[in-house]
Amino acid sequence: MKKTFLLFSTLLALLTLAGISGAAEKKAGAINQAKGLRELTLFFANDVRGETEPCG
Amino acid sequence: MGGLPKKAQQLLDLREKKTGVLALDSGALLFKEEKIPPEQVLQLTATAQGIVSAYNKMSFAAVGVARQDLAAGLPFLLSLQQKSAFPWLSANLVSRTQGKPYFKPHTLLNMAGMNIAVVGLTSNHGPDALLTEKDNAVILPWEEVLPREIALLKGRADLLILLSSFPAAINKRIAEKYPEIHLILQGGNIPGNLPPKQINNTLITQVEQQGKFVGILDVRWNTQAKKWEDPGPENLLLEKKNELDRLDWQIGRYRKQGEPRLVFKDQLEVLAAYEAMLGQRERLEQELVSLTAAQNAKNLGQARLSSFSNRFEVMRKELPDNPAVLAIVQATTSEVNRLGKLAAKDRAVNSLAQNKAIFPDNYTGSAACQSCHTQQFKKWLTTRHALAYGTLEGKGQQFNAQCLPCHVTGAFGQSGEVVLNLANDLRQVGCETCHGPSRQHALRPQSGKPSQPTRETCLRCHTGDHDNNFIFPEAFARLGCGGS
């Protein structure tokens, strides 16, 4: 019973922390938007030909 | 390999973490060369279709048209464009008679609260034979099209990106002439990753060509000023970080078989190379400490202009695969193999291929070496070279003409017809792969000795995309074929 409670509490704490961290990231983004700064992430690739040929 | 499903999963994870993720490719997406052998057209175009399906799933925003993308002909790319959920961009591939572009010259996107314009340029550096008379197409010099595109987009876009397959020197000239272009994503064949370099108000960057990495560029863009802050020591810092990553990768390779000082204690050359790398690593770490301190001091005192941070992510084997893209890749490879099998069957009925056991040129097969070089033959049987064809069979790729040359003997420079109909005794990486064709030597041993392999012999297959950081002296010693 004690163990289950401990496990539950740990999970709850982890979930709360993750939520706070996500919210903090979004808040930082909003502040930057207000300053006229826009945040963009570019994901770029070059020549992926051959990647569908897993020869071994 | 099989990097596409990993790339897709990484992109998905990034999109879950961040808003405003823009996926772009500067081209050379479909084919490796500008010309493809006629007998491989079916297999390679099937692969190209698979790649486009995967990119559709990954929601790429735009792909540039590079010369290699035209290898199966302009009509093929135009038909593939119909199946692409993203625009193919080229402002300078136009109709010869009407001057009208065959692809969209640019695309305008609204993302992260700003207007982003992406322009495509196709390199006109290369053989004229790329386009046929029937195509009625020409690739114009960049000077003829860029002024118009920039004038059109300047007032409409907060951020202007160019996807260019021109050589690096041309992209540098473009950056010098047009500071209105804020970022050039360069495609093409340069080895290694190129961290962003700032030229006037343009960043130029490129990710390594072989799909081993993806580039991730986080941009904080001031839409009023539209100017990058002075990069100061940042470029150098990035270069040093990348150098350290590469070095760690190489050191990891040496450590794969255990502690190198023990594993290579009898191979002084290999050990010396390892020790040199450790020394280099230590020096790099010290440099990074002082560069980071300088960067931190600079960040404290600077006003917020536009800035960026960049990283190149290695597509490591242990990264998870995206199930949807993995299914596309598997269906594509299965189709490619089916087409190869059909082609092999067709060839078997024509007169040239009646003799199914083809020994090209002066090749004889490893069995002929066995009687005189018994010890070497026994050793070879324990290596992965002896199982190379089996590896392909295991993956259902034994009819894939692109894969075969590195899994059999004597296939380099041969037609698809020969490669698909090699004698059984050549269906592994046998003695003659390293020592050259030796039929004469097998018949008359005193007539001349086969050659010794060099680093270049191995690098035909142990290339960066197949075997990153291949160590020649170590591999040569491990094979242990030395002696008579």
Side-chain angles (χ1 to χ4, degrees):
Chain A
M1 181 72 181
K2 210 173 177 182
K3 272 184 183 172
T4 317
F5 176 74
L6 199 65
L7 187 70
F8 180 73
S9 310
T10 314
L11 270 173
L12 195 67
L14 283 172
L15 285 170
T16 313
L17 279 174
I20 290 170
S21 146
E25 203 171 309
K26 281 185 180 158
K27 195 179 171 191
I31 290 167
N32 279 334
Q33 295 266 332
K35 282 181 188 168
L37 283 176
R38 303 283 184 262
E39 292 187 356
L40 176 75
T41 298
L42 282 133
F43 180 97
F44 58 104
N46 175 30
D47 190 2
V48 298
R49 181 229 62 89
E51 286 190 313
T52 53
E53 298 167 351
C55 298
Chain B
M1 291 186 83
L4 269 178
K6 297 186 192 312
K7 202 168 282 182
Q9 191 56 41
Q10 208 184 25
L11 181 55
L12 195 70
D13 292 347
L14 199 61
R15 283 180 169 140
E16 274 173 13
K17 277 188 222 148
K18 297 184 171 208
T19 53
V21 177
L22 183 62
L24 297 169
D25 194 300
S26 40
L29 178 63
L30 307 179
F31 307 108
K32 192 177 180 183
E33 312 288 345
E34 291 180 19
K35 281 278 164 207
I36 53 181
E39 73 270 13
Q40 286 183 25
V41 167
L42 280 178
Q43 288 191 339
L44 292 180
T45 51
T47 303
Q49 288 177 22
I51 292 172
V52 164
S53 299
Y55 264 44
N56 287 345
K57 260 294 180 250
M58 293 159 78
S59 302
F60 262 71
V63 175
V65 176
R67 296 176 66 82
Q68 293 93 324
D69 297 313
L70 296 161
L74 178 60
F76 173 74
L77 188 57
L78 288 169
S79 72
L80 203 56
Q81 183 183 221
Q82 305 300 318
K83 295 175 190 162
S84 306
F86 51 85
W88 286 88
L89 301 180
S90 176
N92 60 333
L93 175 54
V94 303
S95 153
R96 187 186 291 277
T97 48
Q98 295 173 325
K100 205 177 150 194
Y102 276 103
F103 299 90
K104 281 181 82 169
H106 63 257
T107 186
L108 272 166
L109 309 154
N110 189 281
M111 192 174 258
M114 60 180 164
N115 294 319
I116 302 163
V118 187
V119 181
L121 275 184
T122 307
S123 173
N124 62 352
H125 288 228
D128 290 338
L130 185 66
L131 297 164
T132 66
E133 199 61 41
K134 215 173 154 190
D135 288 334
N136 183 33
V138 62
I139 304 173
L140 296 175
W142 59 273
E143 294 94 329
E144 284 186 34
V145 294
L146 260 189
R148 190 184 63 226
E149 285 298 315
I150 289 169
L152 192 70
L153 297 167
K154 205 177 160 184
R156 295 165 71 188
D158 298 307
L159 181 71
L160 181 50
I161 301 170
L162 173 65
L163 303 180
S164 169
S165 55
F166 272 103
I170 300 281
N171 292 325
K172 188 168 171 274
R173 275 169 55 200
I174 292 174
E176 283 163 356
K177 192 161 180 186
Y178 295 109
E180 299 92 337
I181 298 172
H182 305 115
L183 172 66
I184 298 179
L185 295 180
Q186 191 169 269
N189 308 329
I190 64 152
N193 293 311
L194 179 73
K197 285 248 181 211
Q198 190 172 334
I199 294 168
N200 294 337
N201 196 36
T202 308
L203 290 183
I204 303 181
T205 184
Q206 177 174 341
V207 66
E208 182 163 335
Q209 58 170 328
Q210 291 152 331
K212 279 272 179 194
F213 295 85
V214 291
I216 296 171
L217 183 68
D218 287 316
V219 172
R220 289 162 298 280
W221 188 246
N222 186 322
T223 50
Q224 271 97 51
K226 295 183 189 174
K227 282 199 186 305
W228 297 110
E229 64 186 21
D230 175 14
E234 194 159 356
N235 280 344
L236 187 60
L237 184 65
L238 277 168
E239 274 176 34
K240 296 286 176 191
K241 275 183 182 168
N242 283 323
E243 203 179 326
L244 187 68
D245 284 348
R246 284 198 298 275
L247 206 55
D248 279 343
W249 180 278
Q250 285 179 315
I251 290 171
R253 182 88 185 172
Y254 275 77
R255 287 176 175 166
K256 225 173 169 181
Q257 298 165 48
E259 167 52 43
R261 283 171 185 135
L262 296 175
V263 176
F264 302 121
K265 66 178 190 301
D266 299 325
Q267 296 173 52
L268 295 180
E269 199 184 336
V270 180
L271 202 55
Y274 173 72
E275 297 287 355
M277 273 192 263
L278 290 185
Q280 198 186 343
R281 193 186 188 287
E282 203 176 320
R283 285 192 296 279
L284 258 177
E285 269 190 330
Q286 283 166 5
E287 275 185 75
L288 272 168
V289 169
S290 56
L291 282 169
T292 307
Q295 182 66 26
N296 289 342
K298 196 195 91 182
N299 285 347
L300 281 174
Q302 194 153 38
R304 300 300 296 166
L305 281 173
S306 300
S307 61
F308 67 90
S309 63
N310 178 77
R311 63 187 191 276
F312 295 107
E313 295 272 345
V314 188
M315 293 291 97
R316 298 187 310 274
K317 273 185 181 170
E318 58 271 25
L319 283 175
D321 288 318
N322 178 272
V325 173
L326 183 63
I328 292 171
V329 169
Q330 284 170 342
T332 304
T333 49
S334 159
E335 174 64 4
V336 166
N337 199 51
R338 189 189 68 82
L339 290 167
K341 200 172 178 178
L342 276 181
K345 203 174 160 190
D346 284 350
R347 282 168 192 136
V349 295
N350 78 31
S351 57
L352 184 67
Q354 281 304 317
N355 173 15
K356 288 180 189 172
I358 292 183
F359 285 89
D361 300 335
N362 191 28
Y363 284 91
T364 188
S366 299
C369 314
Q370 188 181 2
S371 55
C372 297
H373 304 279
T374 316
Q375 287 308 313
Q376 286 80 9
F377 188 83
K378 272 186 188 167
K379 180 72 199 276
W380 169 77
L381 283 175
T382 67
T383 69
R384 289 172 67 192
H385 280 171
L387 306 169
Y389 186 78
T391 315
L392 274 192
E393 283 183 310
K395 296 212 172 226
Q397 292 295 297
Q398 70 274 33
F399 295 105
N400 189 332
Q402 289 280 295
C403 298
L404 274 164
C406 283
H407 293 257
V408 296
T409 302
F412 283 104
Q414 304 294 343
S415 68
E417 191 161 9
V418 171
V419 173
L420 286 165
N421 290 289
L422 283 173
N424 277 340
D425 200 22
L426 294 174
R427 289 185 182 176
Q428 1 64 19
V429 176
C431 309
E432 291 164 294
T433 301
C434 301
H435 296 285
S438 306
R439 191 186 301 155
Q440 289 309 316
H441 172 71
L443 291 171
R444 286 178 291 278
Q446 302 311 320
S447 67
K449 278 198 165 188
S451 58
Q452 282 298 313
T454 63
R455 191 171 174 271
E456 281 62 41
T457 316
C458 307
L459 288 180
R460 290 179 303 180
C461 292
H462 294 273
T463 52
D465 56 339
H466 292 115
D467 188 359
N468 213 355
N469 302 310
F470 170 74
I471 306 165
F472 174 67
E474 187 269 326
F476 188 68
R478 186 156 33 87
L479 277 178
C481 292
S484 63

